[in-house]
Amino acid sequence: MKILVINGSARKDSNTRKLAQRAVDYLQEQIKEVQLFDLEHESLPILDGKPESFAHPNVKLLKTYAEDANGFFICTPEYHNAVSGALKNALDFLNRDYFTGKPVSIGAIAGGGKGGINALNNLRLIIRGVNGLVLPQQIVVDYKEFDEKAQLNKEAHSRLVSVLDELIYYVGAVAKK
Ligand SMILES: Cc1cc2nc3c(=O)[nH]c(=O)nc-3n(C[C@H](O)[C@H](O)[C@H](O)COP(=O)(O)O)c2cc1C
């Protein structure tokens, strides 16, 4: 069982990366085979249809990780009520060949208040567009729920565990068939 975690923020010192890293930590304890694709450090060209863009090493890396994965945990910041442009661009390099029959869990980082849900609804629709099996649970994390060591408080950690346990369950169930 292999799970790919995607950090959908290209921003330096990203809060979304913290969520992605906490997910990697937990998944590694549970299933061992986890990859992180991090748009902060593995930046992609804009999808422009040019051969050099498709040949970019980070595009190839993303495709290899996505092809190998049995399931995904995709994290996005909420930017202007939607996913980040960086994540949308990354997903535009993929298609249903990478997602069909694979469970996908989603998480968002918001700026406080009631943010995050619009980004998750947007991401749910995008994953539907590539034929992924988006799972019912999801998580919004407020950036204030991280401490100075980028650890989640107890309550947010248990929300994350619940989402990831659901993902592990469904990836296991689908992979057996
Ligand atoms: C361009 C931009 C737009 C944002 N729009 C929203 C928004 O619509 N709703 C919200 O809750 N937070 C919004 N925020 C706050 C971010 O969600 C918050 O800063 C989060 O930590 C960003 O994740 P990042 O650190 O991975 O970039 C916005 C931030 C930026 C930079």
Side-chain angles (χ1 to χ4, degrees):
M1 181 192 296
K2 282 188 196 167
I3 292 180
L4 174 61
V5 176
I6 297 179
N7 165 28
S9 173
R11 205 174 66 81
K12 187 173 170 298
D13 303 326
S14 149
N15 289 312
T16 310
R17 186 176 197 287
K18 295 175 192 169
L19 177 62
Q21 191 57 57
R22 296 291 73 81
V24 168
D25 293 347
Y26 182 75
L27 290 168
Q28 267 170 349
E29 284 167 15
Q30 307 301 315
I31 64 160
K32 310 275 186 282
E33 286 198 278
V34 182
Q35 294 284 4
L36 173 64
F37 190 85
D38 179 0
L39 283 166
E40 180 187 343
H41 297 111
E42 284 142 356
S43 56
L44 300 175
I46 292 286
L47 181 81
D48 57 7
K50 293 179 185 162
E52 56 269 33
S53 301
F54 292 110
H56 191 287
N58 289 345
V59 173
K60 288 184 168 176
L61 185 66
L62 173 64
K63 289 186 172 192
T64 300
Y65 283 175
E67 194 172 357
D68 286 351
N70 305 109
F72 298 80
F73 180 59
I74 303 180
C75 308
T76 185
E78 178 159 294
Y79 289 163
H80 303 323
N81 294 345
V83 302
S84 66
L87 178 61
K88 180 61 168 64
N89 181 62
L91 294 171
D92 287 344
F93 275 103
L94 303 175
N95 57 37
R96 54 179 51 210
D97 294 346
Y98 297 87
F99 283 99
T100 298
K102 296 181 184 178
V104 181
S105 290
I106 56 177
I109 295 282
K114 296 206 164 36
I117 295 297
N118 284 318
L120 288 178
N121 285 338
N122 183 215
L123 184 52
R124 198 168 274 283
L125 193 63
I126 294 165
I127 300 304
R128 162 70 186 85
V130 288
N131 221 25
L133 304 173
V134 197
L135 297 179
Q137 286 198 49
Q138 57 190 19
I139 181 170
V140 174
V141 173
D142 188 329
Y143 71 95
K144 293 176 197 141
E145 293 182 289
F146 292 106
D147 67 16
E148 63 287 346
K149 290 182 180 153
Q151 297 296 326
L152 285 169
N153 67 35
K154 209 171 160 190
E155 198 274 327
H157 175 74
S158 66
R159 293 194 328 262
L160 178 62
V161 164
S162 179
V163 168
L164 296 177
D165 283 348
E166 182 187 53
L167 177 63
I168 291 166
Y169 173 81
Y170 280 103
V171 171
V174 170
K176 275 182 211 144
K177 288 182 182 157

